[in-house]
Amino acid sequence: MRNFLVCCIGLLLAAPFSQGQAPKKLSSSDIYHSLQKLNFLGTALYIAAHPDDENTRLISYLSNEVKAKTAYLSLTRGDGGQNLIGPELRELLGVLRTQELLAARRIDGGEQYFTRANDFGYSKHPNETLRVWDKETVLGDVVWVIRNLKPDVIINRFDHRTPGSTHGHHTSSAMLSVEAFDLTNDAKAYPEQLKSTSVWQPKRVFFNTSWWFYGSQENFAKADKSNMLNFDIGVYYPMKGLSNNEIASMASSQHLCQGFGRLTTRGSQNEYIELIKGDLPTDKSNVFDGIDTSWSRIQGGEAIGKILYAIEADFDFVDPTQHLPQLVEAYKLLQQVQDTHWKKIKSKELEDIIAAVSGLYLEASAKEAFANPAGKLKVGVEVLNRSAADIILKSISLSANNTLDSVVRLEENKKMVVELDLEILEDTRYTSPYWLSEKGSLGTYMVKDQHLVGQAETPRAFHADFELEFGGYTIHMKRPVVYRHSKPDKGELYQPFEILPEVTARVMDKVIIFADSKSKEIPVIVKAGKNDLSGNIALDVPVDWKVSPERIDFSIGQKGDEQTVIFTVEPPLGESEGHIRPQVSINGDMYVKELVEINYDHVPKQSILLPSETKVVRLNIQKSGEHIGYIVGAGDEVPESLEQIGYKVHTIDPTSIQEGTLEKYDAIVVGIRAYNVVPELKFKQRYLLDYVKEGGNLIVQYNTAGRWSKQFENIAPYPLKLSRGRVTDENSEVEILAKRHALVNFPNPITEKDFDGWVQERGLYFPEEWDPQFTPVLSMQDEGESPKTGSLLVAPHGKGNYIYTGLSFFRELPAGVSGAYKLFANMISLGKEKVETESAVKG
C-alpha cells in the first residue's frame, strides 16, 4: 500500500466547517434546515470595519429565516483593539479576533471574509483612514470579494454620508462598499482580477440604519421611512428551539476579548435597512423581492429544483435516508449545469446533505498535533456508514500519483478503522496566518497570492479526496486533516493539524530595558519540532552591543520539549535602541522564527510563526521607590515592563484590600479599565483613597467612560468626568504645560523629545472636566482639533498624590518607548523628591 493522506470530518456540515473544531452531529431538523438553504439561490453580503461591528441579528435572520447564503466582510481583523481576556495585542489580537468572528459565524450561519486592511487604531476621519490603508488596495479587495461571492444585495453597517461623525474605519467601510458597487461590473476596474474571477453587478446596496443614527427613538419614529425595508428579526425557530435574537446574542458573545459576552434576548424586534443604490423592493419586508432565488435562476436548474422541492415538501424526519436516491439524482443533474458559480456552491451543500442523510461518519486524525516538511506521521482513519444505504468506498487520494484503490462496501454500522502513513513534501508551507507571512505597512498587510485575499484563514496544508459510490454514482468529498485527542479535565478535543519548523527559538521578553550599563543574562528558549534535535544557536545584536558566548550548542531529545540557553548581553554606555535575534543552525539550515500559540476554549488553538526578535533599549533612567502594588484590570503588560527597570511589582487581589494593607507600597498602579471590569473595586475604592490621603501615590490608567457601577459617582477624590476624547496620531505634537511640576522634572527631566517614537496613539478616553485641584500636565491634539489637556492629571490628596492618565502606557511600555518609561518612573516617584531634598539638607 502506498503512503497517502486521508482526511474527512464527520458528520458533514451544511454550515462552514471550522478547522480544528469537533464535527457537529446533525439531527433530522438540521438536515431539513440545510435542505431549505440548498433550495434558496440568493446571496447577501454584510460589510463593516471590525470584528464585533457586524449585526448578528440581521446576519442570523438572513441565513436562518430567509435561508440566503450570507457573509460578513470585515475590512480589518481588529488588530488595533484592546484585549479583555489575555495579553495578545496588535497582530496576535487580530488572529484571536479572526477566530472569534469565525466562532460567531458558526452560530449564526454566516460566512466570513476580510480585506488586507490593518486596524491601525482609532481614526477620526475617513480621509486619514483611507490614506493609511492605501485606498486603492483595500477597495480592490472589496471588489475582489464581491466578484467572487456574487451577492445579490449588500448591506452596510455604517453610513457613507457622515464622515467625521464616527470612527474613520466605520465610515470608510461604507464608502468603499458604495464605490465598489459601481466598479464590480466594470471590466476596466482591477482588470488583473478577471484572470481568476468575473465581473458582477449586485442588485441593491443598503445602509443598516436604526434610531441610534437619528439621535433618539423619537427622532427615528418621525423619520421618512419610504426608502426603508424592515423585518421582525425576533422570529422563533421551532426546529431549533431558539429565536433569531437568541442565536444572534450567542454569536455576538463569541467576541469575548472585546467584552461582548451578554445575555440572550427574545421577542419581536424590528430591523431597518435604507436603500442606497439599486431598485427599491415592492415588498418592503423582503430584501430579495424581485430577484429570482429559485433553481430556475440557472439554466438546467428547473429539473434539479423539481426533485429537491419535492424532498423538502415531503421530508421524512424519522428516516431521512429514504431521500438518498433522489438527492444523488439531483447531484448528477447539478454536475451538468454551466453556471460554475452556483454549481460549486450547491455541489458542496448537496454533498454534505447526502453524507448527513446517510449517517456517514468519516474522520482522519493525525497521531500528533504537528509535523515538519519532509516528515512522516501516522493518521488514524475511522469510516462508518450508519444507515442501510448502499455506499462503497472506492479510493482515497492525496494526488494523482498517490492513491489507494480499494473497493470496500461500507456495511451498516460496521466501523472501519485503519492507520495510514502521511508523507509531507519538503516544500510544504508552514501553517501560519498567511497575512503575517511578510512584513506589511502600517495600514495594509502584504499578501502576494491573490487567491488568498479575502480568506479568513490559511488553507489547510493537506486534504484528502474520498471517492465514494452511492447507488452506482460516484461522488468525491474533500476534507482536511485534524488532530483529535483528549484531556482528563476537558474530554475530547479537536484542533488544527499544523505544519511547523523543526525548531523555533524565542526570547521570553519582547522588550528588554537596560536601565544602566551593566550586562544582563538573556535566556533564549529553543523548542524542538522533531525528536533528536541538535544544533547551535547564536544571538545577533546591534553593532554597538556585545554578546557572549558567540554560539551555544544544544541537544533536545523529545519533540515539543524546550531547552533554555543563556547569553550575556552588554549594552553601550550611552542610550541606544535595537533588536536582538536568535539564529538557530541545524545541518547548515538557518531558522529565525518563533512559535506563538493562542489557546482559548472558545476558539481553535492557533499557531503563529513570527520573526524571532526582541527590542533592546539602553536607557539612562532614574527612579525612586521600589515596591509597586498593581491592581490588574482588563489585562496589560505594564507590570512586566516596570520590573524591567528594577521595580518589584506585587499583584494586589482587590478582595484582599483592607485598612492597613496598602501602606507597604511606594505606589499603587491601577490597570487599564479596572473600574470597568473589576466589580470588587466599588467596595474597595475608599481604601485606595485613604492610602493616598495618608501619603501614598495612586496612578489610575484609562477607563472607558461611564462603563462602571453606578456606585462609582467618581473614581477620583475630586470631581472628574471622563469622555471619549482621544488623540489618535502617535506623532502629534505634545506641549508640556506644567513645566515646573515634579512630574516632568523628577527624577527624570521630561522634554518634548520623550514623546518621539510612540506607537498607535497618544492616548484615549481623556477626562474632559475636572476639579481645580487637578493640574493638567500635557497638551496634545489631532490635526484640525482643539488641544486636549486631560491626558495626564495630578492632584494632591492629603499627604499623597492621585494621578489619572489616559496616555496609552499599556501600548508604549511593551513597545519599549524610552520616554514612556521615564514618564511612568516620574509618576511613581512623585512626592519622593521632597524626601530626597529633606535628606540632602539633613546630610
Side-chain angles (χ1 to χ4, degrees):
M1 182 185 298
R2 289 189 233 170
N3 297 321
F4 62 95
L5 171 68
V6 181
C7 171
C8 185
I9 309 303
L11 287 169
L12 308 173
L13 294 179
F17 183 78
S18 169
Q19 297 165 359
Q21 289 292 290
K24 182 180 179 183
K25 283 74 174 177
L26 298 184
S27 66
S28 291
S29 295
D30 295 325
I31 297 171
Y32 181 70
H33 177 72
S34 299
L35 182 62
Q36 290 179 307
K37 289 182 69 68
L38 178 68
N39 283 334
F40 190 94
L41 280 70
T43 304
L45 176 62
Y46 198 88
I47 297 181
H50 311 108
D52 73 36
D53 281 346
E54 81 275 23
N55 185 340
T56 54
R57 299 183 304 273
L58 191 49
I59 290 174
S60 178
Y61 177 86
L62 291 169
S63 177
N64 295 299
E65 173 66 11
V66 179
K67 307 298 189 298
K69 178 180 174 68
T70 308
Y72 174 41
L73 172 59
S74 177
L75 267 61
T76 77
R77 297 177 185 267
D79 327 73
Q82 289 84 48
N83 186 354
L84 288 178
I85 63 174
E88 294 85 9
L89 290 174
R90 290 302 309 148
E91 68 272 6
L92 296 180
L93 179 59
V95 174
L96 174 56
R97 296 188 74 182
T98 293
Q99 291 302 316
E100 289 186 335
L101 269 178
L102 289 170
R105 299 294 80 78
R106 288 193 288 274
I107 292 173
D108 61 32
E111 300 175 11
Q112 187 60 54
Y113 297 90
F114 295 92
T115 73
R116 286 173 284 185
N118 190 343
D119 178 5
F120 57 86
Y122 192 88
S123 175
K124 294 181 178 179
H125 199 280
N127 289 347
E128 178 200 24
T129 299
L130 296 174
R131 182 176 64 251
V132 176
W133 275 354
D134 181 357
K135 177 189 173 183
E136 289 307 308
T137 295
V138 180
L139 176 60
D141 290 355
V142 177
V143 170
W144 169 258
V145 171
I146 293 173
R147 283 174 171 174
N148 282 284
L149 191 63
K150 302 191 184 322
D152 300 294
V153 295
I154 295 173
I155 303 174
N156 296 334
R157 182 69 182 95
F158 300 104
D159 191 347
H160 69 291
R161 299 162 296 192
T162 56
S165 63
T166 182
H167 197 321
H169 297 182
H170 292 170
T171 310
S172 295
S173 70
M175 292 170 65
L176 293 177
S177 172
V178 172
E179 189 169 350
F181 183 85
D182 294 327
L183 292 177
T184 54
N185 201 34
D186 183 357
K188 295 180 181 178
Y190 301 98
E192 68 282 357
Q193 295 181 2
L194 301 180
K195 298 175 183 177
S196 306
T197 188
S198 58
V199 295
W200 176 253
Q201 183 57 61
K203 299 294 190 297
R204 302 159 185 149
V205 59
F206 297 91
F207 160 47
N208 186 192
T209 190
S210 71
W211 68 263
W212 189 88
F213 293 97
Y214 286 76
S216 70
Q217 294 184 356
E218 291 76 14
N219 290 341
F220 188 58
K222 300 174 186 176
D224 178 10
K225 298 182 178 63
S226 60
N227 211 34
M228 296 184 191
L229 280 65
N230 78 87
F231 326 99
D232 182 356
I233 51 82
V235 293
Y236 177 68
Y237 305 126
M239 288 195 300
K240 294 178 177 291
L242 293 167
S243 62
N244 186 75
N245 34 20
E246 284 178 294
I247 294 172
S249 297
M250 292 187 290
S252 180
S253 289
Q254 299 308 301
H255 297 295
L256 294 181
C257 73
Q258 300 301 293
F260 268 53
R262 58 192 177 100
L263 294 172
T264 56
T265 59
R266 287 154 290 280
S268 179
Q269 185 176 354
N270 282 326
E271 193 73 47
Y272 291 85
I273 58 175
E274 176 189 354
L275 183 70
I276 301 299
K277 288 190 175 183
D279 62 307
L280 184 68
T282 302
D283 181 356
K284 291 191 176 182
S285 65
N286 181 7
V287 70
F288 287 96
D289 182 44
I291 300 172
D292 187 358
T293 58
S294 72
W295 278 102
S296 299
R297 176 172 191 158
I298 60 175
Q299 186 176 3
E302 289 187 11
I304 301 170
K306 184 177 181 180
I307 297 171
L308 296 177
Y309 293 139
I311 297 174
E312 181 181 344
D314 194 29
F315 187 75
D316 190 331
F317 287 86
V318 177
D319 182 18
T321 309
Q322 68 160 307
H323 301 299
L324 182 59
Q326 292 77 29
L327 290 167
V328 172
E329 181 62 27
Y331 188 88
K332 288 182 190 178
L333 294 174
L334 181 57
Q335 305 318 299
Q336 299 171 20
V337 304
Q338 299 301 308
D339 190 319
T340 57
H341 174 73
W342 283 113
K343 177 180 177 180
K344 180 180 179 181
I345 293 169
K346 294 303 176 180
S347 292
K348 179 61 172 65
E349 291 180 10
L350 195 45
E351 288 169 15
D352 292 346
I353 292 173
I354 288 171
V357 301
S358 305
L360 186 64
Y361 189 94
L362 304 168
E363 180 179 279
S365 175
K367 296 300 181 182
E368 300 178 53
F370 66 93
N372 318 122
K376 179 189 292 187
L377 81 162
K378 298 290 185 181
V379 175
V381 182
E382 178 181 336
V383 183
L384 179 61
N385 172 17
R386 293 177 292 187
S387 72
D390 180 20
I391 304 175
I392 296 174
L393 174 64
K394 296 176 67 175
S395 69
I396 311 168
S397 64
L398 172 61
S399 65
N401 299 321
N402 198 351
T403 302
L404 170 67
D405 295 313
S406 178
V407 179
V408 178
R409 187 174 298 277
L410 302 177
E411 298 182 40
E412 183 177 357
N413 216 29
K414 294 291 182 67
K415 183 168 64 175
M416 171 183 168
V417 179
V418 295
E419 189 174 85
L420 303 165
D421 289 328
L422 167 62
E423 291 186 345
I424 303 169
L425 298 177
E426 187 173 0
D427 61 355
T428 302
R429 292 183 179 181
Y430 300 133
T431 41
S432 183
Y434 71 86
W435 61 96
L436 300 179
S437 295
E438 298 191 44
K439 187 175 180 61
S441 65
L442 172 65
T444 313
Y445 284 115
M446 173 66 72
V447 180
K448 293 181 179 178
D449 186 346
Q450 181 65 43
H451 292 90
L452 289 174
V453 172
Q455 294 195 38
E457 299 179 279
T458 302
R460 293 292 97 187
F462 295 101
H463 293 77
D465 186 336
F466 279 77
E467 187 180 12
L468 297 158
E469 186 178 292
F470 296 85
Y473 185 77
T474 299
I475 297 177
H476 291 261
M477 295 183 180
K478 187 178 180 181
R479 298 292 185 271
V481 164
V482 296
Y483 173 58
R484 181 170 71 102
H485 61 115
S486 66
K487 289 185 177 181
D489 59 337
K490 294 192 176 184
E492 184 177 66
L493 298 171
Y494 283 78
Q495 69 185 59
F497 169 68
E498 309 282 12
I499 305 300
L500 299 174
E502 292 185 356
V503 64
T504 55
R506 72 185 191 279
V507 179
M508 181 64 72
D509 297 314
K510 292 294 94 182
V511 172
I512 300 176
I513 305 296
F514 290 76
D516 52 38
S517 60
K518 295 179 182 177
S519 62
K520 285 189 176 184
E521 291 188 338
I522 307 299
V524 180
I525 301 168
V526 183
K527 184 168 186 174
K530 59 180 289 187
N531 293 328
D532 301 320
L533 183 76
S534 61
N536 62 72
I537 181 171
L539 192 63
D540 181 45
V541 299
V543 292
D544 51 347
W545 296 60
K546 298 178 181 178
V547 60
S548 63
E550 184 177 338
R551 290 188 174 273
I552 300 176
D553 293 330
F554 65 87
S555 180
I556 306 174
Q558 293 285 327
K559 177 180 179 179
D561 197 8
E562 296 179 339
Q563 182 175 328
T564 300
V565 298
I566 306 294
F567 289 94
T568 299
V569 174
E570 181 181 339
L573 293 177
E575 292 192 345
S576 174
E577 292 186 5
H579 289 86
I580 58 174
R581 299 178 176 89
Q583 298 177 334
V584 183
S585 179
I586 300 175
N587 298 325
D589 293 325
M590 184 74 71
Y591 296 85
V592 293
K593 297 286 189 179
E594 71 170 299
L595 174 63
V596 181
E597 295 179 337
I598 299 176
N599 199 4
Y600 294 96
D601 288 341
H602 66 302
V603 296
K605 181 179 179 181
Q606 299 297 298
S607 299
I608 303 102
L609 293 169
L610 298 173
S612 183
E613 63 180 24
T614 287
K615 184 176 181 179
V616 287
V617 180
R618 167 66 175 96
L619 180 62
N620 288 320
I621 188 171
Q622 304 297 319
K623 63 186 185 66
S624 183
E626 183 176 7
H627 294 278
I628 308 301
Y630 202 91
I631 299 175
V632 177
D636 58 60
E637 298 178 31
V638 172
E640 294 85 348
S641 299
L642 296 179
E643 289 174 342
Q644 289 264 14
I645 55 175
Y647 287 110
K648 295 180 181 178
V649 181
H650 311 269
T651 300
I652 299 175
D653 178 0
T655 61
S656 69
I657 297 175
Q658 298 293 336
E659 185 176 354
T661 61
L662 304 177
E663 283 74 9
K664 56 189 174 184
Y665 302 116
D666 294 299
I668 293 175
V669 181
V670 181
I672 61 172
R673 298 178 68 178
Y675 289 100
N676 301 137
V677 301
V678 183
E680 292 84 1
L681 283 179
K682 63 186 175 185
F683 307 115
K684 306 297 182 179
Q685 178 73 353
R686 62 189 179 96
Y687 296 115
L688 293 174
L689 296 183
D690 285 345
Y691 163 78
V692 179
K693 195 172 183 179
E694 294 303 317
N697 203 5
L698 179 64
I699 301 167
V700 178
Q701 297 180 84
Y702 97 91
N703 284 264
T704 305
R707 294 185 182 178
W708 50 60
S709 169
K710 291 183 179 179
Q711 291 181 248
F712 281 126
E713 292 299 329
N714 207 324
I715 60 173
Y718 312 107
L720 181 70
K721 182 179 179 181
L722 304 188
S723 73
R724 298 183 63 84
R726 61 179 78 202
V727 175
T728 61
D729 182 0
E730 64 271 30
N731 298 311
S732 64
E733 185 177 348
V734 176
E735 179 186 359
I736 299 175
L737 299 176
K739 291 183 168 55
R740 296 186 178 183
H741 200 284
L743 202 54
V744 291
N745 288 284
F746 177 84
N748 303 286
I750 301 297
T751 69
E752 283 77 4
K753 290 185 178 180
D754 288 302
F755 295 93
D756 293 344
W758 284 49
V759 298
Q760 187 162 325
E761 62 198 356
R762 289 296 188 197
L764 61 171
Y765 293 104
F766 294 164
E768 63 182 357
E769 297 178 13
W770 52 84
D771 189 90
Q773 289 283 349
F774 284 101
T775 298
V777 178
L778 305 172
S779 175
M780 58 191 69
Q781 65 195 85
D782 280 323
E783 183 179 356
E785 295 188 355
S786 59
K788 289 182 171 56
T789 58
S791 64
L792 180 58
L793 302 174
V794 57
H797 181 56
K799 301 176 183 177
N801 295 283
Y802 177 96
I803 299 171
Y804 184 90
T805 178
L807 295 172
S808 58
F809 287 107
F810 73 103
R811 298 193 192 280
E812 313 312 322
L813 297 185
V817 178
S818 301
Y821 274 93
K822 292 179 180 179
L823 184 55
F824 212 102
N826 282 15
M827 292 194 301
I828 291 173
S829 303
L830 187 61
K832 307 296 191 301
E833 73 280 0
K834 299 176 183 177
V835 176
E836 293 197 10
T837 300
E838 291 173 1
S839 298
V841 170
K842 291 179 181 179

